[in-house]
Amino acid sequence: MDRKQWMGLLARAPAATLDGFWRGLGLTPAFTWLRMPEPGGVMVQGRMGGSGAPFNLGEMTVTRCALALESGAVGHAYVQGRDKRHAEQAALVDALMQGDAAATVRTGLLEPLAVQMQATQDSRAAKAAATKVEFFTLVRGDD
Amino acid sequence: MYVAVKGGERAIENAHAWLAEARRGDTRVPELDVAQIREQMALAVNRVMAEGSLYDPDLAALAIKQARGDLIEAVFLIRAYRTTLPRFGASKPVETADMRCDRRISATFKDAPGGQVLGATFDYTHRLLDFKLAADGEVPPAAMAPAQAGSVPHITEFLNRDGLIQTEAPSCETPPDLTREPLEFPANRALRLQALARGDEGFILGLAYSTQRGYARNHAFVGELRIGRVPVEMEIPELGFSIEIGEIELTECETVNQFAGSKTAPAQFTRGYGLVFGQTERKAIAMALVDRALRWRELGEDNLGAAAQDEEFVLSHCDNIQATGFLEHIKLPHYVDFQSELELVRRLRAEAEAVAKEAAE
């Protein structure tokens, strides 16, 4: 999992789920804010016809922040929604992944979080699959 | 005569206090919390997000609670909140071809690759009231089946391979944003789609229905309707690369409509497009029909004078917050305006009387 992937995972994770895993790690690193958590909007674009030129569909809420650990590692976060704690925890994970705690954070938080989110996604896909129409053709027998 | 009107502060305060009490309703009935609205009134939440033009289910649920279920009032609250948010930027265009579909149907191809997936739909229900829901009901878990891996291709892509349908030309142009610049006409398709995506469902539905009944000729098939989740990706300048900043639920409708062609180009199907936040399929289908009707000029069709072909009419009236703002303001005090009207009508009557009297003498 590279940085782009873990930042995306942390952005999409439900705040309560991330909070659970973060508490499980039991880490309380000292840090200073470079940018306090700030909620804002991002204009989401779509494509005409699904594949053509872009247009503005509407906005979504996003919270961003940046912080520095005492080691100097800088963590950034852009997470969906307006939960400041979600953004703070995501930025702390991002910063810790750049230092000695990376292995602990990866196995204790990122990997199980990814597994849990994949399981939610799989269960949804399985429910959709059960509603797939199986067509059959009635063959008229002539005998 | 100038009349200053003051007063009513106490009446307003008391009206708002009563509103709060009325919102709560009978206190012997448990209070709804925001999470209950978000989870159990999900389609109302989706409509408020779509027309509020802000994807945030918790905020939409709160707005519905505050508005006592008046969805246009809830949209108003969301629009007002939206203006307080700093804009961090724009996402990359979402790729609906990569959607993880909960539902995906085609009215044109029975054997579409990827299949017809019904999802959690009201279709094929009998529309009979279910009195079991009035009592506490345990819901049996939904059935599961092995899912196929990978993304589900758009059906129009198959038609496109044979050149049977118009191609949508990709572009990197920054689309216009009607939340930043005032609407001007003629509007391009990007601006029209933005306005339709946040437009009132009822208004767009009525216009779409009018096209089906013959006001603007564009017989539409639902080539594909899909509902599902897509990740949203944005370039982050301070990082120098793009990341996913979240995931949203969308409804997309692609219609396949009758032909355009010329002496040099053979006949091809044409397209209408609807894309809306949340599970909002009535709105997405209606949006696609109205989008198609508004494309008459670029497709070389006649303007039949139908309302759905008139972009100024459609775009100026599809926003329910603008509409309700102007409509409802006439109930607010207009004492001074009305006084001048009153004086005018009295003078006109007096003059008419004087003329009549003179004629009689």
Side-chain angles (χ1 to χ4, degrees):
Chain A
M1 198 184 296
D2 63 15
R3 191 174 185 200
K4 181 181 162 96
Q5 285 169 322
W6 76 59
M7 289 189 78
L9 181 74
L10 294 164
R12 287 183 283 110
T17 312
L18 175 59
D19 187 54
F21 283 114
W22 174 255
R23 282 165 195 273
L25 279 182
L27 296 174
T28 48
F31 67 90
T32 49
W33 287 117
L34 302 177
R35 176 193 271 157
M36 298 277 284
E38 170 193 27
V42 167
M43 178 56 86
V44 180
Q45 295 187 350
R47 288 187 184 283
M48 299 177 194
S51 55
F55 68 95
N56 290 311
L57 176 64
E59 286 168 283
M60 63 185 278
T61 51
V62 172
T63 301
R64 68 179 176 190
C65 69
L67 49 80
L69 302 181
E70 282 172 337
S71 66
V74 172
H76 288 278
Y78 278 74
V79 302
Q80 183 167 12
R82 290 161 299 110
D83 192 319
K84 292 179 180 172
R85 189 206 293 271
H86 182 183
E88 176 183 327
Q89 288 171 352
L92 281 169
V93 169
D94 184 47
L96 288 168
M97 282 302 289
Q98 298 166 48
D100 299 338
T104 315
V105 173
R106 184 184 294 273
T107 53
L109 186 144
L110 290 176
E111 285 170 0
L113 176 62
V115 167
Q116 185 171 329
M117 286 172 65
Q118 186 62 47
T120 310
Q121 202 171 302
D122 289 347
S123 128
R124 220 178 159 94
K127 286 176 195 171
T131 68
K132 186 165 164 180
V133 180
E134 304 294 346
F135 288 106
F136 53 91
T137 309
L138 297 174
V139 181
R140 196 182 67 182
D142 281 331
D143 49 5
Chain B
M1 182 175 57
Y2 179 75
V3 186
V5 180
K6 269 183 78 79
E9 289 89 346
R10 179 192 295 270
I12 291 169
E13 240 169 63
N14 290 344
H16 290 171
W18 193 16
L19 168 65
E21 190 187 282
R23 175 187 295 121
R24 174 60 183 88
D26 187 340
T27 52
R28 288 169 300 183
V29 176
E31 185 181 353
L32 272 175
D33 67 31
V34 169
Q36 286 174 319
I37 297 173
R38 185 192 64 220
E39 297 301 315
Q40 296 173 41
M41 293 285 125
L43 300 192
V45 166
N46 287 342
R47 183 169 178 185
V48 170
M49 293 197 299
E51 293 169 29
S53 203
L54 184 67
Y55 195 99
D56 188 317
D58 292 300
L59 275 184
L62 173 64
I64 290 169
K65 178 171 179 172
Q66 186 177 335
R68 306 179 67 196
D70 178 339
L71 297 190
I72 292 184
E73 181 72 18
V75 169
F76 202 158
L77 294 169
I78 292 298
R79 290 276 187 93
Y81 177 83
R82 193 202 68 79
T83 61
T84 67
L85 289 174
R87 176 79 64 88
F88 291 165
S91 78
K92 293 180 164 185
V94 290
E95 299 297 345
T96 52
D98 300 333
M99 183 184 279
R100 289 202 311 280
C101 297
D102 290 345
R103 170 166 168 80
R104 189 272 199 154
I105 54 170
S106 170
T108 51
F109 295 103
K110 178 169 71 73
D111 297 314
Q116 308 267 355
V117 176
L118 301 181
T121 180
F122 292 127
D123 292 353
Y124 315 109
T125 62
H126 293 108
R127 267 72 181 210
L128 297 173
L129 275 176
D130 181 358
F131 291 98
K132 285 203 299 286
L133 288 174
D136 286 339
E138 287 279 307
V139 182
M144 296 203 187
Q148 69 176 49
S151 52
V152 185
H154 275 127
I155 282 168
T156 44
E157 293 307 309
F158 302 114
L159 279 172
N160 219 353
R161 266 178 221 161
D162 303 329
L164 291 177
I165 193 163
Q166 276 189 304
T167 313
E168 294 282 3
S171 109
C172 299
E173 213 175 298
T174 306
D177 182 356
L178 62 79
T179 68
R180 291 300 163 99
E181 305 111 36
L183 199 52
E184 275 179 20
F185 301 103
N188 62 17
R189 189 172 177 214
L191 206 56
R192 298 197 302 252
L193 288 171
Q194 184 183 11
L196 293 174
R198 70 210 303 262
D200 182 74
E201 179 174 312
F203 184 80
I204 311 280
L205 169 66
L207 281 172
Y209 180 45
S210 77
T211 71
Q212 292 185 293
R213 292 191 64 253
Y215 292 87
R217 172 199 63 198
N218 64 20
H219 186 260
F221 292 102
V222 171
E224 179 167 353
L225 178 73
R226 55 169 66 191
I227 301 176
R229 279 143 213 278
V230 293
V232 181
E233 199 170 325
M234 183 169 77
E235 284 291 339
I236 308 295
E238 57 268 35
L239 293 174
F241 55 90
S242 69
I243 60 165
E244 287 177 5
I245 54 168
E247 181 183 78
I248 58 176
E249 185 182 40
L250 293 174
T251 302
E252 180 185 53
C253 177
E254 290 189 273
T255 57
V256 177
N257 301 66
Q258 275 184 356
F259 325 113
S262 65
K263 283 184 189 130
T264 51
Q268 276 187 317
F269 285 112
T270 58
R271 302 171 181 236
Y273 189 64
L275 186 66
V276 189
F277 281 158
Q279 183 178 340
T280 42
E281 70 181 52
R282 181 185 304 113
K283 167 74 179 285
I285 299 169
M287 175 175 169
L289 263 58
V290 176
D291 169 50
R292 176 60 185 79
L294 289 170
R295 300 181 70 195
W296 62 272
R297 204 189 305 263
E298 63 181 286
L299 297 171
E301 295 172 339
D302 294 332
N303 180 359
L304 303 171
Q309 287 180 304
D310 183 337
E311 69 173 20
E312 191 166 343
F313 180 82
V314 175
L315 301 195
S316 303
H317 300 113
C318 69
D319 191 293
N320 53 24
I321 299 312
Q322 277 173 11
T324 206
F326 198 64
L327 182 108
E328 292 199 55
H329 101 280
I330 65 172
K331 74 190 173 187
L332 301 175
H334 280 65
Y335 307 134
V336 180
D337 287 358
F338 187 68
Q339 181 122 14
S340 72
E341 299 267 309
L342 206 56
E343 277 174 27
L344 179 63
V345 79
R346 284 195 176 122
R347 196 173 73 230
L348 290 173
R349 289 171 65 92
E351 281 167 10
E353 260 171 49
V355 170
K357 208 169 170 186
E358 217 167 84
E361 278 164 6

